[in-house]
Amino acid sequence: MVFDQQTSLSVGPLFSQPIPLTFETPYMHPYEPTEKSVSTHSDNESEPSHEISIDPDTVISQEGETDSDIIWETSGLGSSVERSVQLLLDSPVIWERPDPHVITESGRAVGESHSAMMGQVYSMDVQARVRGVEAMLSRVAEENQPLPDELLWALADSSESVRTTAASGIQNLPPSAMGAAAQQRLSEYILSVYASMDANLIAPVDDVLPYLRRWLTQ
Amino acid sequence: MTTTLENSTEVLTRRRAAAYALGKMKVDEAAELLVRGVWADDPLLSWSCAEGLHMLESTAVLGDWVNILQHPQDTIRILAVSALGRIGGPEALRALRAILFGEMESDYNMQLQALQAITNYSQCEAVPILIEVLEQSPRLRSTAANFLRQITNQEIGDHPDDWRQWYQ
């Protein structure tokens, strides 16, 4: 899941325990959080703001370094009120192990029932990501599920085999799984990539775009 | 994508993105739409459509590229010359000759691009034209001689007579 420099995430309502949010960066550029702590805010005015603590020694370094994770702990959030947390980062990040209570940018819950598959999709291990993509493709093909965000994001993955698996898999989906709505969704994603002018996204998508021609001509 | 590009009320960056994507995917059916876009009022949209059309490498739009040689944007004119070189064939070669020998309105940058485009042709098509350029265009002589050396692997200077002698 690729975020822009400032991304809002909704954090789910069931905070009986601190929730570790783990990030990794698959990109070549190191980043640091621009702030060492962030505040939450609530739609409910009676609820006080809370600080989310960030390990002050946290520095995310180059791709492939296993000790580069950053832990953001939502300590002190014992509330049942849904909050939004503004993450201030100076380069894109990807969720590594999404918590079941975290709701993605698109509003789709990464629920516990999908956690194993999603764990693969967000893994640092390329083969695991490929398996995750294949699992999503099967679900779309066999159960007529809408295209998941993660399958679209896989088109811009840093690994060529993940990208190719996703793109050729989408290419070979049956028309029943790629109806007008799915085609529109794919088209919107591709347009948003190119309109972003972000070379980190455009270059990988450029690679696999010809696979998608079947669904994007309209 | 075609719907997005066609829609004049659509946001410009999305129309440009669609033009690029259609070219990148080599959607030949979009050629006519891209050609229309090249002549759009917005210079950025024109450029993206030209870029998309260039990526198509479609022989069906050869005549359109010849027209685009007269486009008001110089970068698009140069792209048109490059497209002719990539598409190839006798009609494109005639247009490239016309650019090099002043038989159609062109500028120095277009002529340089035309020299480069000529090198995409076979040696027996390219060499006589490049020698002719040595003879007729002092301004292009040095570049033409460089291309001649490149495609023939001959270490001959810039003088047209030396090349003519070698070629006969």
Side-chain angles (χ1 to χ4, degrees), chain B residues 23-88:
Chain B
K24 189 78 189 169
M25 292 187 293
K26 298 196 184 294
V27 179
D28 284 332
E29 303 89 315
E32 200 186 317
L33 184 59
L34 288 168
V35 169
R36 281 208 305 275
V38 172
W39 297 99
D41 291 335
D42 186 284
L44 292 174
L45 183 60
S46 295
W47 169 253
S48 295
C49 288
E51 210 181 7
L53 198 59
H54 190 259
M55 286 188 284
L56 277 189
E57 295 184 24
S58 164
T59 51
V61 292
L62 184 64
D64 295 296
W65 278 121
V66 173
N67 293 333
I68 294 169
L69 290 170
Q70 305 305 320
H71 197 277
Q73 273 180 258
D74 54 354
T75 47
I76 292 181
R77 291 197 299 271
I78 291 169
L79 203 60
V81 180
S82 161
L84 292 173
R86 286 173 81 162
I87 293 170

Side-chain angles (χ1 to χ4, degrees), chain A residues 77-217:
Chain A
L77 294 181
S79 166
S80 62
V81 177
E82 183 162 327
R83 300 163 188 287
S84 79
V85 181
Q86 188 80 10
L87 302 176
L88 302 172
L89 304 165
D90 63 5
S91 77
V93 293
I94 281 187
W95 283 110
E96 185 186 20
R97 288 180 284 278
D99 188 276
H101 300 298
V102 173
I103 298 169
T104 64
E105 211 173 19
S106 64
R108 203 175 68 80
V110 182
E112 285 176 340
S113 60
H114 307 315
S115 59
M117 186 174 79
M118 292 303 156
Q120 288 183 324
V121 172
Y122 296 115
S123 167
M124 274 297 269
D125 176 48
V126 169
Q127 286 313 311
R129 292 212 296 281
V130 167
R131 285 195 299 275
V133 166
E134 285 168 346
M136 283 189 289
L137 285 163
S138 298
R139 272 163 45 92
V140 171
E142 289 160 19
E143 300 168 28
N144 278 343
Q145 300 270 341
L147 294 182
D149 288 344
E150 290 81 0
L151 185 54
L152 297 175
W153 296 327
L155 296 170
D157 195 279
S158 54
S159 154
E160 188 184 351
S161 46
V162 175
R163 291 197 301 272
T164 310
T165 304
S168 60
I170 291 173
Q171 178 187 36
N172 294 321
L173 282 171
S176 58
M178 283 298 290
Q183 288 180 37
Q184 176 71 17
R185 193 159 149 62
L186 178 63
S187 172
E188 285 301 319
Y189 176 70
I190 297 298
L191 285 174
S192 71
V193 165
Y194 286 113
S196 74
M197 311 276 180
D198 180 347
N200 283 328
L201 291 174
I202 291 174
V205 170
D206 251 2
D207 241 17
V208 295
L209 193 60
Y211 285 103
L212 305 172
R213 179 192 153 140
R214 180 182 178 199
W215 305 120
L216 290 177
T217 304

